[in-house]
Amino acid sequence: MTFTAHLTRRGFGMAGLASALALTAGLAAAAPKTDITVGQQLEPPHLDPTSAAAGAIDAVVYSNIFEGLTRFASDGSVIPGLATSWDISGDGLEYTFHLAEGVKFHDGTDFDAEDVKFSLDRARAEDSANAQKGLFSSIASVDVVDPMTVKVTLSAPNGMFLFNMAWGDAVIVAPESIETIKTDPIGTGAFKFSNWVQGDRIEIEKNPDYWGTPAKLDKVTFKYISDPTAAFAAMMAEDVDVFGPFPAPENLPQFDVDPRFKVLVGSTEGETILAINNREAPFDNVKVREAVAHAINRQEIIDGAMFGYGTPIGTHFAPHNPDYVDLTSLSNYDPELSKKLLAEAGVPEGFQFKMTLPPPSYARRGGEIIAAQLRAVGLDPQIENVEWAQWLESTFKGHDFGMTIVSHTEPMDIGIYANPDYYFGYDNPDFQKLMSDLNLETDAAVRSDMLKQAQEMIAKDFVNGFLFQLALTTVANAKVEGLWLNAPTQAADMTSVYWTE
């Protein structure tokens, strides 16, 4: 029987029938959507967050697909994840994690302490491909106490250990699915991987068996649009529901006055830097690096490349962090001083070097501005535009560059300057000792002082050109709620996102 016939038999006249149908249609129209399309500029090289440095991986999988023992909340605090609670020994060396019960991986296998041991041992192994192996360097052993309890013993106290375990590089994976993790990621999260059309989109769907608070959305599509003009067109046509970070900040005022959209402006952990190859002459000379720093007009870059969105920084530390020190005056814009320092260092006029620029607008647009600023003091950067895969292989891994521009969006990552093998090649034993001592320190006041020392040390060594803190500018359909305003880690966490009517 049709719906219309059913209403007629129940005694509805034609007028009543029309009213009922109108009401039904209205209710159907008012029902909120359960799928969403999220625009992203950068497509990940693969989907294993434990074996690559690309933030585009975490943008898809962090919290959505994979979870760690702890996790970052939207305000940057560290909260329980797969570990519902933990005990810390009096000497700070033993962390006993109590795991959530009834958790299953997306393939139906059970999550337990053996998976935690496998994941942490894999991440800290000598042959590990983890891009942040330093997160696990203090782990001496991982022991299974029982299926729902795991004990991690540290070689020395580490005041950042729970914070470190919240990174995307520290998510828990299963040995059963590790061989295909890059193309078929299987985690414990509120969403399951569904489909990847390379060069176009990645789709994830709601996990009906999720152990925690279920997702409100049934499906999320990450749509990859690298061109800023195309991104603007896609949003205006409402082919994309959310785009963040939006790659064309000059268009934000147009969205802001359009009632169909809302613009969210927050902060990120993204220190945007002109990374300098400290291994390569003449940039192995601190005087030359200082000259580069004084040739840079930060505000001109923020205004020209980011249309005013961004906070100037003078070191590798987020301004919203309570331990931040404003050191921008150490590297103030002074082109005459820059020329003087280059002459003292014996750098010939018109010295050429490779400036490698990955796809983001801050890099491509900012690179053109910085190149002009450097040419004004006698340096001659040769711009080479590359895609992310090439940047990761040749620049990040191969160290084949003179300068490059990138936003380091990992949380509280000043410790990368203690790794002499890191791509910009800063090798300072005093800084390495300071970071080692910081890891052992648990007193909050002492740690604060040490972090301030660390900021000053790299600023005075002019390791890199410190440009600005990347703003998170998100454009969204006005009916979308639950998005992160700020980005305490590299994530497009969709677990709490929903549509209003």
Side-chain angles (χ1 to χ4, degrees), residues 39-96:
Q40 303 251 296
Q41 190 175 24
L42 305 176
E43 185 175 14
H46 58 73
L47 294 174
D48 177 12
T50 66
S51 66
I57 300 174
D58 276 2
V60 174
V61 306
Y62 186 87
S63 188
N64 296 325
I65 293 176
F66 289 114
E67 299 173 299
L69 293 173
T70 59
R71 59 159 292 179
F72 293 114
S74 59
D75 63 358
S77 59
V78 176
I79 60 175
L82 289 171
T84 56
S85 63
W86 47 83
D87 305 313
I88 307 173
S89 62
D91 60 7
L93 293 179
E94 292 183 357
Y95 285 71
T96 302

Side-chain angles (χ1 to χ4, degrees), residues 476-493:
N477 186 293
K479 295 181 179 180
V480 174
E481 297 291 341
L483 297 167
W484 281 11
L485 173 65
N486 302 310
T489 191
Q490 306 169 99
D493 186 338

Side-chain angles (χ1 to χ4, degrees), residues 336-358:
E336 293 308 313
L337 176 56
S338 181
K339 292 175 185 177
K340 179 175 177 290
L341 290 167
L342 288 171
E344 290 175 359
V347 179
E349 178 80 17
F351 174 75
Q352 293 187 345
F353 59 91
K354 183 193 294 186
M355 178 185 280
T356 307
L357 303 179

Side-chain angles (χ1 to χ4, degrees), residues 38-50 52-62 64-66 168-169 182 185 196 201-202 204 222-225 244-245 359-360 362 387-389 391-392 406-410 489-493:
V38 180
Q40 303 251 296
Q41 190 175 24
L42 305 176
E43 185 175 14
H46 58 73
L47 294 174
D48 177 12
T50 66
I57 300 174
D58 276 2
V60 174
V61 306
Y62 186 87
N64 296 325
I65 293 176
F66 289 114
D169 306 80
K182 291 185 176 182
W196 187 357
R201 66 189 184 275
I202 291 174
I204 60 176
F222 293 95
K223 179 75 173 177
Y224 295 101
I225 306 173
Y362 66 75
E387 296 305 311
W388 267 121
W391 188 91
L392 288 166
V406 67
S407 277
H408 282 258
T409 51
E410 297 87 358
T489 191
Q490 306 169 99
D493 186 338

